[in-house]
Structure formats: C-alpha cells, structure tokens
Amino acid sequence: MTIRFTMDKITRDGDPVLRQTAKNVPFPLSDEHAQLAKDMMTYLVISQDETKNEQYGLRPGVGLAAPQVGYSLSMAAILVPSIDPHESEDKPFFKGTIFNPIIISESVKRGALDVGEGCLSVDEDVPGFVPRANRITVRYQDENGDKKVIKLRDYPAIVFQHEIDHLHGHLYYDHIDLKAPWQVDNETKYID
C-alpha cells in the first residue's frame, strides 16, 4: 500500500481552500478524482494501523475531506471503525468515499463528543463541546455515481457532519461557544 498523503501534505488551518465551498464532483469519475479518493482512504487505513501509523508519522483519522489535501471538491473519505462490541474489528461501521453529500434531515436533539473534536488540519487544540445534530440522514453518491441514503446517529453522525462541514468551508471550532466551551446543557447527548 503506497501512501501519497503524509502529514506534511495535509492542508493546515489558514489555507484559503479550507474556507471555500467545494465544487461538486462530476460523474463518471475522472481518473484523477478516482485516484484522489483511493489516496485519501489509504491515509485513513494506514493512520488507524498503530504500526504503520508510527512508520509514517501520521495522526490517526476517521475522515479526510478533499479540501484537507488541497482540492476544493465535494468528496470525503470516511473510515469509522466498528462501533458494535459484538462485531469484528475488521468490519468497519462505514468505509467509503462520499461524493456531493447533502444532509437531508437532522434531529432537533444535539449530540457532542464528551472530549471535544480534533482535526488533521488544525494543529492547535481548540477545546470545547462541538454541538451537532445527534441523528442525520445523508444523501450522497458513491464512486460509481449511484445515489445512496444513510441514516446515522451518535458518533458516526458526528464524523459525517465534521467531514461535510469541510465541504462548506467550516471547521469544528466554528461551533464551539468560546465564552463557555465546556458548558453542559440537558438537551445535548454527550458521547464518549
């Protein structure tokens, strides 16, 4: 497995591409876009393997959006490990690249990771809860251009929203209440 994107190739906060609205990806996929999708997924696979991760000096990730590697395109690779304790760790909850995703519905109930969020493109930790919809329905295209709909809740919903935010020029810390970053409210589900 050859890795194209290493940490030095990850676009960092401050680069204008991270604040742009990404362009839709046309289908059928060009060879360049298909390769980009493969390369982004390779980063995620290697970053989640402790031995290979160290070898390449990667920060672990569960998602990588095209703007994070310098392409203003509406696509993101997502690799969410199994969240079912009875499932094999080899069978991820979701592994794929989503193209031109749109959140078509979301719950009123909020969800947030109890430790806050991080991002491969943001080197400085910005602490605080990142409130998001706890349940979402996402419509996207797969690598063949087929339309798919997926319903998500809790951790996977947060991962998808984080990556889709990148496609609209938003970073996770845009959602943090900087005056009260760790203020708990009873309407939010905190996910560990």
Side-chain angles (χ1 to χ4, degrees):
M1 192 180 288
T2 311
I3 187 163
R4 174 175 161 204
F5 296 122
T6 46
M7 285 309 298
D8 61 326
K9 302 275 192 326
I10 301 293
T11 305
R12 295 308 210 280
D13 193 5
D15 189 306
V17 74
L18 292 174
R19 293 302 188 171
Q20 294 170 0
T21 299
K23 297 174 191 68
N24 273 0
V25 178
F27 281 88
L29 284 182
S30 67
D31 290 345
E32 180 190 9
H33 292 163
Q35 188 61 52
L36 177 60
K38 285 181 188 154
D39 290 339
M40 292 193 311
M41 183 56 72
T42 298
Y43 177 97
L44 297 179
V45 169
I46 291 176
S47 82
Q48 290 184 23
D49 178 310
E50 285 183 33
T51 310
K52 290 180 183 168
N53 181 333
E54 263 184 50
Q55 178 186 343
Y56 292 104
L58 305 182
R59 282 171 35 198
V62 291
L64 186 62
Q68 293 184 271
V69 290
Y71 293 83
S72 188
L73 294 167
S74 187
M75 59 190 282
I78 296 178
L79 178 53
V80 177
S82 174
I83 53 175
D84 181 347
H86 306 294
E87 283 282 332
S88 159
E89 285 185 27
D90 297 336
K91 187 173 186 288
F93 172 82
F94 184 92
K95 180 181 182 183
T97 302
I98 60 173
F99 297 87
N100 309 322
I102 298 169
I103 297 172
I104 55 175
S105 70
E106 62 179 59
S107 64
V108 173
K109 180 147 183 85
R110 303 282 92 188
L113 297 181
D114 64 1
V115 294
E117 292 182 24
C119 180
L120 296 172
S121 292
V122 181
D123 291 327
E124 189 179 320
D125 181 38
V126 182
F129 294 126
V130 181
R132 300 185 181 277
N134 192 54
R135 291 176 184 260
I136 59 170
T137 303
V138 179
R139 185 175 61 226
Y140 66 95
Q141 290 171 275
D142 66 12
E143 62 278 357
N144 300 314
D146 296 331
K147 288 192 167 72
K148 305 279 186 182
V149 174
I150 187 170
K151 292 178 183 248
L152 303 153
R153 65 178 189 182
D154 299 334
Y155 181 69
I158 287 172
V159 172
F160 270 68
Q161 288 172 89
H162 180 113
E163 296 312 317
I164 291 170
D165 262 4
H166 277 300
L167 309 179
H168 296 284
H170 304 300
L171 294 170
Y172 77 93
Y173 62 73
D174 297 340
H175 300 284
I176 296 173
D177 178 351
L178 298 178
K179 291 184 184 128
W182 295 110
Q183 183 167 331
V184 173
D185 84 64
N186 296 331
E187 302 301 311
T188 301
K189 178 176 183 181
Y190 295 94
I191 301 154
D192 59 10

